[in-house]
Amino acid sequence: MITLDIPIKPYLKKYLTKKYGEVHHVKKNSLLGGIIIDILDKTYRKKTIDVDRKSFYKVSVPATIVKEVGFEISFLKLKKLAEKIYTLFYEDLESYINLTIGNELNFHNKKHDSINKQNRLKAISQFLDFYNITEEELKLDSVYRIIDRRLKSDK
């Protein structure tokens, strides 16, 4: 078994850690595992790629997969993996928004001591809180705009 460090933005590392644990054990039948297996190869690269990321997520690849597929990932494939994880994050967020608003969930507004209907901004805030993603790592208004664009492009 080998362990790979996947360079990723800190908020995406928090997301993956909460979803899969500190280290994801690659399996063919898991979504993230399947994506990683698809980008592994046996091409040995002497030159290591200096990736400008301060945060890494660890994935553990079993020996059977290493023998069958390899354990190297090219720089281009690493970038594509980060893009897929970004997409997965926003798809999960969209699902959460649709689920909570669609089921007409309510929340307690402590400031005004009232019960309010769920809205998109509150759902985004709850999602980020669940994954311990801070405002410094990912701005709420930025996420709101991204979600708004994604939802409009689906129409």
Side-chain angles (χ1 to χ4, degrees), residues 9-12 14 131-139:
K9 293 181 179 180
Y11 75 92
L12 291 175
K14 286 183 175 182
Y131 288 103
N132 299 318
I133 297 170
T134 64
E135 182 77 13
E136 291 80 36
E137 293 169 317
L138 192 59
K139 302 275 185 229

Side-chain angles (χ1 to χ4, degrees), residues 91-105:
E91 284 179 356
D92 276 358
L93 175 54
E94 279 181 43
S95 295
Y96 180 77
I97 290 168
N98 292 334
L99 182 69
T100 58
I101 292 175
N103 287 326
E104 297 181 10
L105 295 181

